[in-house]
Amino acid sequence: MPDATPTTFGQLEPSKWPGERLGLPDDGPNSVGRIGRRIAAIAIDWGVAILIALLFAPYSSLLHSWVTLGIFVLMQIVFIPTIGGSVGHRLMGLRILPISGGWVGLWRPIVRTVLLAIVVPALVWDSDQRGFHDKVAGTVLVRA
């Protein structure tokens, strides 16, 4: 009888729901945060960064754009390990957890945020709805 264990990625059974292969529930607390909440959370974070950046540079300047990005990155790196997610994440009922369990630590927020800041990795998702930035950092965004 042939071995039923998959040997390549293409042989994996599709997930029944995002997070199934990670041992996460389909719905409710600790389920994978869905796209609507994610978009709202990043919009909140970006809006806060824009408002704070207005203290340092006029809105229509190139400097304002860079200051906004810097503030956005700083907020992610500071708030993920301290409150479990960004301000937007927490307002939308989300939090970031390491796949391995325990505390998210300091390096995961840095790696995740640098990749998020270059945008493209956040647009590449797997069947668990984890962006490339979450996969590399070993994290998952779940409902609180």
Side-chain angles (χ1 to χ4, degrees):
M1 177 173 216
D3 187 8
T5 306
T7 57
T8 65
F9 182 77
Q11 293 175 331
L12 289 175
E13 284 288 320
S15 298
K16 292 180 181 85
W17 65 83
E20 177 190 23
R21 289 185 281 184
L22 303 173
L24 300 174
D26 181 22
D27 195 24
N30 291 327
S31 64
V32 170
R34 302 304 201 268
I35 187 73
R37 288 176 188 252
R38 291 171 181 257
I39 290 172
I42 201 165
I44 290 168
D45 291 337
W46 194 254
V48 169
I50 286 172
L51 291 175
I52 294 171
L54 286 173
L55 299 172
F56 303 100
Y59 180 73
S60 59
S61 69
L62 179 61
L63 178 60
H64 183 269
S65 298
W66 285 106
V67 171
T68 300
L69 180 61
I71 291 168
F72 176 83
V73 166
L74 184 64
M75 287 188 327
Q76 300 290 314
I77 292 171
V78 168
F79 290 133
I80 289 172
T82 56
I83 64 172
S86 68
V87 172
H89 290 142
R90 301 309 290 169
L91 288 173
M92 294 310 302
L94 300 169
R95 61 189 170 127
I96 295 176
L97 299 176
I99 295 297
S100 60
W103 182 52
V104 74
L106 297 175
W107 72 269
R108 283 184 177 91
I110 293 170
V111 168
R112 184 183 188 279
T113 302
V114 167
L115 290 172
L116 182 61
I118 61 174
V119 179
V120 174
L123 300 176
V124 179
W125 293 33
D126 65 8
S127 65
D128 291 315
Q129 294 186 1
R130 290 174 61 217
F132 185 70
H133 62 296
D134 275 321
K135 292 181 74 73
V136 170
T139 58
V140 62
L141 185 62
V142 298
R143 290 178 59 187

